[in-house]
Amino acid sequence: MRAKCSSSHCSVASGINQNRKLGESRPRRDLLDNGLGRTPQMGWNNFNHFPGKLNEELIHQTADAMVSTGLAALGYEYINLDDCWAELNRDSQGNLVPNATIFPSGMKALANYVHSKGLKIGIYGDAGTLTCAKTMPGSLGYEEQDANTFASWGIDYLKYDNCHNNGISPQERYTKMSKALLATGRPIFFSLCEWGYADPATWAPSIGNSWRTTGDIKDNWGSMISKADQNDAWASYAGPGGWNDPDMLEVGNGNMTTEEYRCHFSLWSLAKAPLILGCDIRSMDNDTFELVSNKEVIAVNQDDLGIQGKKVNKTGDLEVWSGPLSGDRVAVLLMNRGPSTATVTAEWSDIGLNSSVIVDARDLWEHSTTTSIQLQLDATLDSHTCKMYVLTPH
Ligand code: GLA
């Protein structure tokens, strides 16, 4: 007999309606009223591939590539700058100053360029006195002034980090910036980067559009999978307007196999995580492009219902992840985390289907459909591989 998940958050749903109720009873009362993040955000950020290596040319070329590759048309819209874009010192009026060596044309010109491509631009700040790389000031005590500066430049997204915070509670520091952003009148997506320290899923939905649930991801299987697991604990808190964030994608950065990256992209999509690319999209290889441009997988991430898929069964290293989709469909991910080939099985009872239900199973990576499946879905999977499906009941 197969062991079921032991923790409360991955208890097994007994029917599709129960799954629905799970979603509806999410403990999310007040949502941040900025109209953003109705589905998880999609875009790019430089940190995973180019930490601390920003410049105007990189952003221009990345925006160009987002459009020319077709990724923009698939929904990737934010071009986000991470740490190290500003001078270490504010100007005499206390304003943040873009680093003139790397951004000689300034931030308004950069935002105009990104907007001219039909894209949006994100920037990075810190809810402390200094950013994590210590190369630029944080916004603690300057929240309104900095929010106004960002709005005046035409910024659309703020990733707000947690370094050098003087021990002040994150609720206090992040709420202040959230209010300051709202007060600008410009819709600015608010992405909290608090690393999950003070359980942000329990308080951030009312002030942010996403919140990190983990420390920084690294480009290796162990790191990636541990972020997925940590993020899974908070599934019930996510939904339209505010999302759990297990950190940005490493797909295409070279240190995992293509099949491991396929699992990474599948897990993030199923878990309604932000799809923020972290590779050099100017020079993606075909495998990377095939992974991040899979429309059917992206559609799971961007599904209207907005319910985070969860780990619903674990038998040693063999796992079933699943979540409800609009139209009474169900997303299923079968994954082998172990060292050798094995068969992974999703029973209907694992994934919220009554035993009598007959489904068509669309394999989202093979782009093929198997009709009239009953009772269970299984796949024989090599080490560190997965299969992802959408099941449509008859
Ligand atoms: C922290 C964040 C990262 C990145 C760096 C930049 O570590 O968690 O995502 O923004 O700071 O210095």
mmCIF file of all heavy atoms in Angstrom, residues 244-285:
data_model
loop_
_atom_site.group_PDB
_atom_site.id
_atom_site.type_symbol
_atom_site.label_atom_id
_atom_site.label_comp_id
_atom_site.label_asym_id
_atom_site.label_seq_id
_atom_site.Cartn_x
_atom_site.Cartn_y
_atom_site.Cartn_z
ATOM 1 N N ASN A 244 2.464 32.592 -4.015
ATOM 2 C CA ASN A 244 3.697 32.099 -3.394
ATOM 3 C C ASN A 244 4.809 32.102 -4.435
ATOM 4 O O ASN A 244 4.594 31.722 -5.587
ATOM 5 C CB ASN A 244 3.497 30.667 -2.895
ATOM 6 C CG ASN A 244 2.575 30.592 -1.702
ATOM 7 O OD1 ASN A 244 2.733 31.340 -0.732
ATOM 8 N ND2 ASN A 244 1.593 29.701 -1.749
ATOM 9 N N ASP A 245 6.014 32.472 -3.987
ATOM 10 C CA ASP A 245 7.138 32.607 -4.914
ATOM 11 C C ASP A 245 8.327 31.776 -4.423
ATOM 12 O O ASP A 245 9.017 32.178 -3.480
ATOM 13 C CB ASP A 245 7.507 34.097 -5.004
ATOM 14 C CG ASP A 245 8.718 34.355 -5.882
ATOM 15 O OD1 ASP A 245 9.248 33.407 -6.481
ATOM 16 O OD2 ASP A 245 9.142 35.536 -5.953
ATOM 17 N N PRO A 246 8.567 30.607 -5.048
ATOM 18 C CA PRO A 246 9.712 29.782 -4.654
ATOM 19 C C PRO A 246 11.026 30.215 -5.309
ATOM 20 O O PRO A 246 11.987 29.459 -5.307
ATOM 21 C CB PRO A 246 9.291 28.386 -5.119
ATOM 22 C CG PRO A 246 8.384 28.634 -6.287
ATOM 23 C CD PRO A 246 7.739 29.985 -6.097
ATOM 24 N N ASP A 247 11.067 31.399 -5.851
ATOM 25 C CA ASP A 247 12.215 32.052 -6.486
ATOM 26 C C ASP A 247 12.198 31.832 -8.003
ATOM 27 O O ASP A 247 11.416 31.070 -8.552
ATOM 28 C CB ASP A 247 13.551 31.625 -5.861
ATOM 29 C CG ASP A 247 14.639 32.706 -6.046
ATOM 30 O OD1 ASP A 247 14.332 33.761 -6.637
ATOM 31 O OD2 ASP A 247 15.776 32.481 -5.607
ATOM 32 N N MET A 248 13.114 32.523 -8.646
ATOM 33 C CA MET A 248 13.071 32.630 -10.108
ATOM 34 C C MET A 248 13.605 31.359 -10.776
ATOM 35 O O MET A 248 14.279 30.546 -10.160
ATOM 36 C CB MET A 248 13.900 33.848 -10.527
ATOM 37 C CG MET A 248 13.348 35.116 -9.876
ATOM 38 S SD MET A 248 14.347 36.584 -10.156
ATOM 39 C CE MET A 248 15.788 36.294 -9.158
ATOM 40 N N LEU A 249 13.305 31.240 -12.054
ATOM 41 C CA LEU A 249 13.657 30.028 -12.793
ATOM 42 C C LEU A 249 15.161 29.961 -13.105
ATOM 43 O O LEU A 249 15.779 30.975 -13.431
ATOM 44 C CB LEU A 249 12.872 29.979 -14.110
ATOM 45 C CG LEU A 249 11.355 29.835 -13.943
ATOM 46 C CD1 LEU A 249 10.635 30.222 -15.241
ATOM 47 C CD2 LEU A 249 10.995 28.422 -13.529
ATOM 48 N N GLU A 250 15.688 28.760 -13.023
ATOM 49 C CA GLU A 250 17.087 28.509 -13.426
ATOM 50 C C GLU A 250 17.153 27.827 -14.788
ATOM 51 O O GLU A 250 18.252 27.551 -15.289
ATOM 52 C CB GLU A 250 17.790 27.621 -12.387
ATOM 53 C CG GLU A 250 18.030 28.291 -11.034
ATOM 54 C CD GLU A 250 19.215 29.272 -11.039
ATOM 55 O OE1 GLU A 250 19.774 29.539 -12.130
ATOM 56 O OE2 GLU A 250 19.551 29.771 -9.958
ATOM 57 N N VAL A 251 15.991 27.556 -15.390
ATOM 58 C CA VAL A 251 15.962 26.842 -16.677
ATOM 59 C C VAL A 251 16.896 27.538 -17.678
ATOM 60 O O VAL A 251 16.800 28.750 -17.880
ATOM 61 C CB VAL A 251 14.530 26.816 -17.264
ATOM 62 C CG1 VAL A 251 14.518 26.087 -18.611
ATOM 63 C CG2 VAL A 251 13.562 26.174 -16.285
ATOM 64 N N GLY A 252 17.800 26.760 -18.261
ATOM 65 C CA GLY A 252 18.684 27.308 -19.284
ATOM 66 C C GLY A 252 20.016 27.800 -18.769
ATOM 67 O O GLY A 252 20.856 28.250 -19.554
ATOM 68 N N ASN A 253 20.238 27.723 -17.463
ATOM 69 C CA ASN A 253 21.515 28.216 -16.935
ATOM 70 C C ASN A 253 22.626 27.165 -16.948
ATOM 71 O O ASN A 253 23.759 27.467 -16.598
ATOM 72 C CB ASN A 253 21.322 28.830 -15.544
ATOM 73 C CG ASN A 253 20.776 30.249 -15.652
ATOM 74 O OD1 ASN A 253 21.005 30.928 -16.659
ATOM 75 N ND2 ASN A 253 20.046 30.698 -14.646
ATOM 76 N N GLY A 254 22.296 25.931 -17.315
ATOM 77 C CA GLY A 254 23.359 24.992 -17.698
ATOM 78 C C GLY A 254 23.769 23.940 -16.703
ATOM 79 O O GLY A 254 24.491 23.010 -17.063
ATOM 80 N N ASN A 255 23.322 24.028 -15.458
ATOM 81 C CA ASN A 255 23.833 23.076 -14.469
ATOM 82 C C ASN A 255 22.862 21.948 -14.131
ATOM 83 O O ASN A 255 23.150 21.127 -13.269
ATOM 84 C CB ASN A 255 24.235 23.830 -13.204
ATOM 85 C CG ASN A 255 25.317 23.115 -12.442
ATOM 86 O OD1 ASN A 255 26.233 22.552 -13.045
ATOM 87 N ND2 ASN A 255 25.191 23.085 -11.136
ATOM 88 N N MET A 256 21.706 21.926 -14.792
ATOM 89 C CA MET A 256 20.803 20.780 -14.657
ATOM 90 C C MET A 256 20.631 20.181 -16.045
ATOM 91 O O MET A 256 20.869 20.847 -17.061
ATOM 92 C CB MET A 256 19.439 21.203 -14.095
ATOM 93 C CG MET A 256 19.440 21.530 -12.604
ATOM 94 S SD MET A 256 17.763 21.826 -11.963
ATOM 95 C CE MET A 256 17.867 23.539 -11.487
ATOM 96 N N THR A 257 20.168 18.921 -16.073
ATOM 97 C CA THR A 257 19.886 18.315 -17.374
ATOM 98 C C THR A 257 18.596 18.908 -17.932
ATOM 99 O O THR A 257 17.794 19.509 -17.195
ATOM 100 C CB THR A 257 19.696 16.796 -17.244
ATOM 101 O OG1 THR A 257 18.503 16.574 -16.472
ATOM 102 C CG2 THR A 257 20.871 16.128 -16.549
ATOM 103 N N THR A 258 18.370 18.706 -19.213
ATOM 104 C CA THR A 258 17.121 19.192 -19.813
ATOM 105 C C THR A 258 15.916 18.593 -19.095
ATOM 106 O O THR A 258 14.923 19.286 -18.850
ATOM 107 C CB THR A 258 17.076 18.823 -21.317
ATOM 108 O OG1 THR A 258 18.170 19.463 -21.948
ATOM 109 C CG2 THR A 258 15.780 19.262 -21.965
ATOM 110 N N GLU A 259 16.011 17.311 -18.744
ATOM 111 C CA GLU A 259 14.871 16.674 -18.065
ATOM 112 C C GLU A 259 14.667 17.244 -16.670
ATOM 113 O O GLU A 259 13.531 17.373 -16.198
ATOM 114 C CB GLU A 259 15.048 15.155 -18.022
ATOM 115 C CG GLU A 259 14.975 14.493 -19.390
ATOM 116 C CD GLU A 259 13.776 14.985 -20.213
ATOM 117 O OE1 GLU A 259 12.640 14.957 -19.707
ATOM 118 O OE2 GLU A 259 13.981 15.410 -21.371
ATOM 119 N N GLU A 260 15.745 17.612 -15.987
ATOM 120 C CA GLU A 260 15.594 18.262 -14.675
ATOM 121 C C GLU A 260 14.965 19.644 -14.828
ATOM 122 O O GLU A 260 14.093 20.037 -14.041
ATOM 123 C CB GLU A 260 16.956 18.344 -13.975
ATOM 124 C CG GLU A 260 17.454 16.975 -13.525
ATOM 125 C CD GLU A 260 18.862 16.990 -12.949
ATOM 126 O OE1 GLU A 260 19.652 17.907 -13.277
ATOM 127 O OE2 GLU A 260 19.187 16.066 -12.175
ATOM 128 N N TYR A 261 15.385 20.365 -15.851
ATOM 129 C CA TYR A 261 14.759 21.671 -16.099
ATOM 130 C C TYR A 261 13.285 21.502 -16.472
ATOM 131 O O TYR A 261 12.447 22.347 -16.142
ATOM 132 C CB TYR A 261 15.484 22.421 -17.213
ATOM 133 C CG TYR A 261 16.804 23.042 -16.803
ATOM 134 C CD1 TYR A 261 17.918 22.958 -17.637
ATOM 135 C CD2 TYR A 261 16.936 23.740 -15.598
ATOM 136 C CE1 TYR A 261 19.124 23.539 -17.288
ATOM 137 C CE2 TYR A 261 18.143 24.327 -15.238
ATOM 138 C CZ TYR A 261 19.234 24.224 -16.084
ATOM 139 O OH TYR A 261 20.431 24.804 -15.738
ATOM 140 N N ARG A 262 12.960 20.398 -17.162
ATOM 141 C CA ARG A 262 11.550 20.156 -17.507
ATOM 142 C C ARG A 262 10.733 19.987 -16.216
ATOM 143 O O ARG A 262 9.630 20.517 -16.094
ATOM 144 C CB ARG A 262 11.424 18.904 -18.386
ATOM 145 C CG ARG A 262 10.077 18.779 -19.079
ATOM 146 C CD ARG A 262 9.951 17.461 -19.861
ATOM 147 N NE ARG A 262 11.037 17.179 -20.775
ATOM 148 C CZ ARG A 262 11.144 17.698 -22.000
ATOM 149 N NH1 ARG A 262 10.217 18.497 -22.467
ATOM 150 N NH2 ARG A 262 12.179 17.385 -22.768
ATOM 151 N N CYS A 263 11.297 19.269 -15.260
ATOM 152 C CA CYS A 263 10.619 19.112 -13.960
ATOM 153 C C CYS A 263 10.497 20.468 -13.260
ATOM 154 O O CYS A 263 9.450 20.792 -12.682
ATOM 155 C CB CYS A 263 11.383 18.146 -13.054
ATOM 156 S SG CYS A 263 11.481 16.463 -13.693
ATOM 157 N N HIS A 264 11.562 21.247 -13.309
ATOM 158 C CA HIS A 264 11.568 22.588 -12.691
ATOM 159 C C HIS A 264 10.433 23.441 -13.279
ATOM 160 O O HIS A 264 9.592 23.983 -12.547
ATOM 161 C CB HIS A 264 12.952 23.198 -12.976
ATOM 162 C CG HIS A 264 13.228 24.560 -12.454
ATOM 163 N ND1 HIS A 264 12.452 25.198 -11.500
ATOM 164 C CD2 HIS A 264 14.243 25.434 -12.739
ATOM 165 C CE1 HIS A 264 12.974 26.395 -11.240
ATOM 166 N NE2 HIS A 264 14.043 26.564 -11.979
ATOM 167 N N PHE A 265 10.379 23.513 -14.592
ATOM 168 C CA PHE A 265 9.358 24.368 -15.233
ATOM 169 C C PHE A 265 7.949 23.811 -14.986
ATOM 170 O O PHE A 265 6.996 24.571 -14.780
ATOM 171 C CB PHE A 265 9.636 24.485 -16.735
ATOM 172 C CG PHE A 265 8.906 25.624 -17.386
ATOM 173 C CD1 PHE A 265 9.305 26.934 -17.187
ATOM 174 C CD2 PHE A 265 7.793 25.388 -18.187
ATOM 175 C CE1 PHE A 265 8.610 27.994 -17.765
ATOM 176 C CE2 PHE A 265 7.101 26.440 -18.781
ATOM 177 C CZ PHE A 265 7.521 27.745 -18.569
ATOM 178 N N SER A 266 7.820 22.492 -14.972
ATOM 179 C CA SER A 266 6.514 21.869 -14.727
ATOM 180 C C SER A 266 6.045 22.151 -13.297
ATOM 181 O O SER A 266 4.878 22.498 -13.071
ATOM 182 C CB SER A 266 6.595 20.356 -14.923
ATOM 183 O OG SER A 266 7.003 20.027 -16.223
ATOM 184 N N LEU A 267 6.957 21.979 -12.337
ATOM 185 C CA LEU A 267 6.598 22.218 -10.931
ATOM 186 C C LEU A 267 6.179 23.666 -10.718
ATOM 187 O O LEU A 267 5.180 23.940 -10.047
ATOM 188 C CB LEU A 267 7.793 21.915 -10.021
ATOM 189 C CG LEU A 267 8.043 20.459 -9.660
ATOM 190 C CD1 LEU A 267 9.436 20.310 -9.043
ATOM 191 C CD2 LEU A 267 6.973 19.952 -8.691
ATOM 192 N N TRP A 268 6.951 24.591 -11.266
ATOM 193 C CA TRP A 268 6.632 26.018 -11.078
ATOM 194 C C TRP A 268 5.280 26.346 -11.724
ATOM 195 O O TRP A 268 4.480 27.085 -11.176
ATOM 196 C CB TRP A 268 7.751 26.883 -11.665
ATOM 197 C CG TRP A 268 8.758 27.378 -10.662
ATOM 198 C CD1 TRP A 268 9.095 28.692 -10.434
ATOM 199 C CD2 TRP A 268 9.588 26.599 -9.759
ATOM 200 N NE1 TRP A 268 10.065 28.765 -9.451
ATOM 201 C CE2 TRP A 268 10.378 27.508 -9.026
ATOM 202 C CE3 TRP A 268 9.713 25.239 -9.494
ATOM 203 C CZ2 TRP A 268 11.293 27.095 -8.048
ATOM 204 C CZ3 TRP A 268 10.620 24.824 -8.517
ATOM 205 C CH2 TRP A 268 11.395 25.733 -7.811
ATOM 206 N N SER A 269 5.044 25.753 -12.883
ATOM 207 C CA SER A 269 3.776 26.042 -13.572
ATOM 208 C C SER A 269 2.605 25.488 -12.789
ATOM 209 O O SER A 269 1.602 26.175 -12.571
ATOM 210 C CB SER A 269 3.801 25.471 -14.986
ATOM 211 O OG SER A 269 4.769 26.150 -15.752
ATOM 212 N N LEU A 270 2.730 24.247 -12.340
ATOM 213 C CA LEU A 270 1.634 23.616 -11.605
ATOM 214 C C LEU A 270 1.373 24.326 -10.280
ATOM 215 O O LEU A 270 0.228 24.442 -9.843
ATOM 216 C CB LEU A 270 1.967 22.145 -11.353
ATOM 217 C CG LEU A 270 0.863 21.382 -10.647
ATOM 218 C CD1 LEU A 270 0.274 20.321 -11.560
ATOM 219 C CD2 LEU A 270 1.349 20.754 -9.364
ATOM 220 N N ALA A 271 2.441 24.831 -9.648
ATOM 221 C CA ALA A 271 2.308 25.479 -8.336
ATOM 222 C C ALA A 271 1.938 26.957 -8.454
ATOM 223 O O ALA A 271 1.991 27.689 -7.465
ATOM 224 C CB ALA A 271 3.599 25.319 -7.544
ATOM 225 N N LYS A 272 1.580 27.389 -9.651
ATOM 226 C CA LYS A 272 1.193 28.791 -9.856
ATOM 227 C C LYS A 272 2.268 29.739 -9.341
ATOM 228 O O LYS A 272 1.984 30.771 -8.720
ATOM 229 C CB LYS A 272 -0.154 29.102 -9.173
ATOM 230 C CG LYS A 272 -1.300 28.192 -9.583
ATOM 231 C CD LYS A 272 -1.758 28.461 -11.013
ATOM 232 C CE LYS A 272 -3.016 27.725 -11.396
ATOM 233 N NZ LYS A 272 -2.842 26.304 -11.689
ATOM 234 N N ALA A 273 3.523 29.348 -9.568
ATOM 235 C CA ALA A 273 4.649 30.198 -9.169
ATOM 236 C C ALA A 273 4.899 31.241 -10.254
ATOM 237 O O ALA A 273 4.577 31.016 -11.419
ATOM 238 C CB ALA A 273 5.895 29.345 -8.978
ATOM 239 N N PRO A 274 5.494 32.369 -9.879
ATOM 240 C CA PRO A 274 5.897 33.331 -10.906
ATOM 241 C C PRO A 274 6.812 32.640 -11.909
ATOM 242 O O PRO A 274 7.684 31.855 -11.517
ATOM 243 C CB PRO A 274 6.675 34.384 -10.096
ATOM 244 C CG PRO A 274 6.155 34.258 -8.696
ATOM 245 C CD PRO A 274 5.806 32.810 -8.514
ATOM 246 N N LEU A 275 6.604 32.928 -13.190
ATOM 247 C CA LEU A 275 7.503 32.384 -14.224
ATOM 248 C C LEU A 275 8.442 33.506 -14.651
ATOM 249 O O LEU A 275 8.218 34.191 -15.655
ATOM 250 C CB LEU A 275 6.699 31.837 -15.404
ATOM 251 C CG LEU A 275 5.776 30.656 -15.096
ATOM 252 C CD1 LEU A 275 5.053 30.185 -16.364
ATOM 253 C CD2 LEU A 275 6.528 29.492 -14.437
ATOM 254 N N ILE A 276 9.454 33.715 -13.822
ATOM 255 C CA ILE A 276 10.445 34.751 -14.107
ATOM 256 C C ILE A 276 11.711 34.048 -14.591
ATOM 257 O O ILE A 276 12.420 33.403 -13.817
ATOM 258 C CB ILE A 276 10.742 35.599 -12.839
ATOM 259 C CG1 ILE A 276 9.459 36.276 -12.313
ATOM 260 C CG2 ILE A 276 11.808 36.643 -13.151
ATOM 261 C CD1 ILE A 276 8.859 37.335 -13.213
ATOM 262 N N LEU A 277 11.960 34.172 -15.897
ATOM 263 C CA LEU A 277 13.115 33.510 -16.500
ATOM 264 C C LEU A 277 14.400 34.082 -15.918
ATOM 265 O O LEU A 277 14.495 35.289 -15.647
ATOM 266 C CB LEU A 277 13.101 33.727 -18.016
ATOM 267 C CG LEU A 277 11.850 33.215 -18.739
ATOM 268 C CD1 LEU A 277 11.846 33.714 -20.193
ATOM 269 C CD2 LEU A 277 11.801 31.695 -18.689
ATOM 270 N N GLY A 278 15.402 33.205 -15.766
ATOM 271 C CA GLY A 278 16.655 33.660 -15.180
ATOM 272 C C GLY A 278 17.856 33.298 -16.017
ATOM 273 O O GLY A 278 18.986 33.305 -15.526
ATOM 274 N N CYS A 279 17.612 32.980 -17.290
ATOM 275 C CA CYS A 279 18.751 32.655 -18.169
ATOM 276 C C CYS A 279 18.985 33.822 -19.127
ATOM 277 O O CYS A 279 18.272 34.817 -19.092
ATOM 278 C CB CYS A 279 18.462 31.370 -18.947
ATOM 279 S SG CYS A 279 17.080 31.513 -20.086
ATOM 280 N N ASP A 280 19.989 33.670 -19.965
ATOM 281 C CA ASP A 280 20.272 34.705 -20.964
ATOM 282 C C ASP A 280 19.372 34.438 -22.173
ATOM 283 O O ASP A 280 19.694 33.597 -23.015
ATOM 284 C CB ASP A 280 21.758 34.650 -21.354
ATOM 285 C CG ASP A 280 22.132 35.797 -22.278
ATOM 286 O OD1 ASP A 280 21.220 36.511 -22.754
ATOM 287 O OD2 ASP A 280 23.340 35.977 -22.534
ATOM 288 N N ILE A 281 18.258 35.135 -22.235
ATOM 289 C CA ILE A 281 17.280 34.814 -23.288
ATOM 290 C C ILE A 281 17.758 35.277 -24.673
ATOM 291 O O ILE A 281 17.137 34.954 -25.683
ATOM 292 C CB ILE A 281 15.870 35.367 -22.995
ATOM 293 C CG1 ILE A 281 15.851 36.883 -22.960
ATOM 294 C CG2 ILE A 281 15.307 34.771 -21.709
ATOM 295 C CD1 ILE A 281 14.435 37.461 -22.957
ATOM 296 N N ARG A 282 18.882 35.998 -24.712
ATOM 297 C CA ARG A 282 19.432 36.401 -26.015
ATOM 298 C C ARG A 282 20.102 35.222 -26.717
ATOM 299 O O ARG A 282 20.315 35.269 -27.933
ATOM 300 C CB ARG A 282 20.467 37.522 -25.838
ATOM 301 C CG ARG A 282 19.911 38.771 -25.181
ATOM 302 C CD ARG A 282 21.036 39.712 -24.796
ATOM 303 N NE ARG A 282 22.035 39.039 -23.953
ATOM 304 C CZ ARG A 282 23.189 39.579 -23.568
ATOM 305 N NH1 ARG A 282 23.495 40.810 -23.952
ATOM 306 N NH2 ARG A 282 24.022 38.906 -22.816
ATOM 307 N N SER A 283 20.456 34.206 -25.927
ATOM 308 C CA SER A 283 21.220 33.101 -26.530
ATOM 309 C C SER A 283 20.742 31.737 -26.025
ATOM 310 O O SER A 283 21.552 30.865 -25.762
ATOM 311 C CB SER A 283 22.710 33.276 -26.212
ATOM 312 O OG SER A 283 22.880 33.325 -24.810
ATOM 313 N N MET A 284 19.420 31.601 -25.884
ATOM 314 C CA MET A 284 18.876 30.315 -25.424
ATOM 315 C C MET A 284 19.137 29.223 -26.462
ATOM 316 O O MET A 284 18.985 29.465 -27.663
ATOM 317 C CB MET A 284 17.344 30.408 -25.308
ATOM 318 C CG MET A 284 16.837 31.059 -24.066
ATOM 319 S SD MET A 284 15.030 31.206 -24.190
ATOM 320 C CE MET A 284 14.854 32.366 -25.499
ATOM 321 N N ASP A 285 19.446 28.010 -25.990
ATOM 322 C CA ASP A 285 19.519 26.903 -26.945
ATOM 323 C C ASP A 285 18.098 26.372 -27.209
ATOM 324 O O ASP A 285 17.135 26.785 -26.551
ATOM 325 C CB ASP A 285 20.475 25.807 -26.467
ATOM 326 C CG ASP A 285 20.062 25.217 -25.127
ATOM 327 O OD1 ASP A 285 18.872 25.318 -24.760
ATOM 328 O OD2 ASP A 285 20.933 24.649 -24.438
#
